[in-house]
Amino acid sequence: PVLVYLLARCLWIGFRGRGTGLRPVWPTMCLLIAALFLMGFRVGLNMADAGAIDVGYAGVTGAHRIIHGEQLYGDWPDDIHSGDTYGPVNYAAYVPFEVIWPYTGEWDDLPAAHGASITFDIATFILLIVLGIRIRPGPPGRRLAAILAFGWAAFPYTAYVLESDSNDSLIAALLVATLVLLAKPLWRGVTLALATWAKFVPLVLAPMLLTLDGWKPRKLALFAGGFAVVTAAAVTWPLINPGFHTFYERTIAAQAGRISPFSIWGQDESLEPLRVAILVATGVLAIALAFVPRKKSLLQVAALSAALMLGVQLTLHHWFYLYIVWFFPL
């Protein structure tokens, strides 16, 4: 019910072009100081008392396989047998941390997973500050930046992601980066492609972001070119080794066919027609947003992007609260 409410609200704001907004009573400096304190507290808590769940373990294992030239999909260790279900960008994002804190071959404290999760979290926080400053010049922009930063730092579900050492904040960071670079079609194509080949779901935003500047051939080509270059860099090697069939079966097919009790769809099979109807409606909406509204402000793009992400999440057999950060910054 909460996801349905948020979906309706985001559509309402997206098509109206305005919302009520947040009006904190704290001064800007207090908001910023509180946000910085909370970020420091969260990072300290992660370092002192947090364990990496299977998602973080999968990221480190995939990075280890990349570094050692092993095939990325198929034939994973028994204790993380289904860890190759994410896109190649996800595992590539863990490579710098795996280089610093090498994988021991066991599911231990995994410092590389801690380092990656902390970096994704801080990156989202910083990008939200940059976004606020770019949206509005002068003091109003600084105040908006402080509000956005505090919103991220104070939200319990972003802290849950950090404490789990999950990869979900990577999607949040890449989608906020897409908003920061929204006026540059080439670079918003690049960031959206990175998000897509990390966890696939952001692909639903592609039609709207492709036509954001209208149907100008040069702008369309720039976005498509940026998206295509990242796609080629991300998937060429997995498509060669182990090949398309294994890559597809271990990622998209495995996710689409996953049965889980963490949603109403996994608890009652008779609801499957409703799930399919919502999925089709989300696909139709994604295509329709390439055409309407004809001109979209950054506020509208953010709200409509959140609506599309929510629409996909409503249809997931396996829905977990860590996924909230996919749409929360939007």
Side-chain angles (χ1 to χ4, degrees):
V2 177
L3 294 182
V4 171
Y5 162 75
L6 288 173
L7 172 61
R9 178 168 172 78
C10 287
L11 288 174
W12 177 256
I13 294 172
F15 282 103
R16 289 180 72 217
R18 56 190 177 88
T20 54
L22 294 171
R23 293 180 173 81
V25 296
W26 284 4
T28 300
M29 187 56 65
C30 289
L31 280 171
L32 187 57
I33 291 173
L36 291 171
F37 169 80
L38 287 169
M39 289 298 292
F41 176 78
R42 286 153 50 116
V43 171
L45 190 61
N46 177 281
M47 297 173 67
D49 183 27
I53 63 172
D54 56 347
V55 178
Y57 184 29
V60 173
T61 304
H64 177 80
R65 294 169 78 92
I66 290 174
I67 291 171
H68 290 85
E70 302 174 22
Q71 70 178 52
L72 192 51
Y73 296 95
D75 193 28
W76 273 45
D78 290 339
D79 60 352
I80 190 68
H81 176 68
S82 60
D84 55 346
T85 190
Y86 306 112
V89 168
N90 173 72
Y91 305 110
Y94 281 81
V95 166
F97 309 99
E98 166 62 12
V99 170
I100 299 171
W101 298 286
Y103 172 52
T104 62
E106 298 180 356
W107 193 342
D108 51 20
D109 189 52
L110 296 174
H114 286 263
S117 183
I118 290 171
T119 300
F120 302 155
D121 188 72
I122 293 175
T124 308
F125 177 80
I126 293 173
L127 284 166
L128 284 168
I129 292 175
V130 172
L131 182 64
I133 293 172
R134 292 194 63 173
I135 290 174
R136 297 174 184 166
R142 292 193 289 272
R143 179 160 181 78
L144 178 58
I147 292 170
L148 295 177
F150 180 81
W152 177 264
F155 192 47
Y157 288 99
T158 63
Y160 288 158
V161 170
L162 180 58
E163 284 302 288
S164 301
D165 285 311
S166 174
N167 59 11
D168 295 280
S169 290
L170 172 62
I171 306 303
L174 290 171
L175 291 180
V176 176
T178 302
L179 292 183
V180 170
L181 299 168
L182 201 63
K184 302 179 184 299
L186 174 66
W187 292 108
R188 74 170 180 263
V190 167
T191 52
L192 182 65
L194 289 171
T196 297
W197 293 111
K199 279 208 166 181
F200 305 112
V201 172
L203 181 62
V204 73
L205 308 183
M208 177 176 65
L209 296 184
L210 171 66
T211 62
L212 193 61
D213 301 302
W215 295 90
K216 301 172 183 177
R218 181 175 176 274
K219 297 294 183 69
L220 295 174
L222 285 171
F223 176 88
F227 196 97
V229 168
V230 171
T231 297
V235 305
T236 297
W237 179 240
L239 292 180
I240 295 173
N241 181 25
F244 174 79
H245 179 74
T246 302
F247 173 63
Y248 175 78
E249 287 295 325
R250 299 299 297 175
T251 56
I252 298 172
Q255 293 284 3
R258 188 175 188 180
I259 302 300
S260 168
F262 292 166
S263 71
I264 57 174
W265 321 117
Q267 296 176 26
D268 188 346
E269 294 182 1
S270 68
L271 295 173
E272 184 63 11
L274 176 60
R275 188 189 78 86
V276 173
I278 296 173
L279 186 60
V280 171
T282 302
V284 171
L285 176 64
I287 295 172
L289 290 177
F291 303 92
V292 293
R294 189 175 177 182
K295 292 185 177 181
K296 304 176 186 70
S297 65
L298 188 146
L299 171 67
Q300 289 176 288
V301 171
L304 294 172
S305 296
L308 289 171
M309 298 292 286
L310 283 159
V312 175
Q313 287 201 23
L314 282 171
T315 69
L316 297 179
H317 277 109
H318 182 84
W319 186 89
F320 206 45
Y321 59 76
L322 299 177
Y323 302 166
I324 289 173
V325 299
W326 298 3
F327 62 77
F328 175 64
L330 299 171

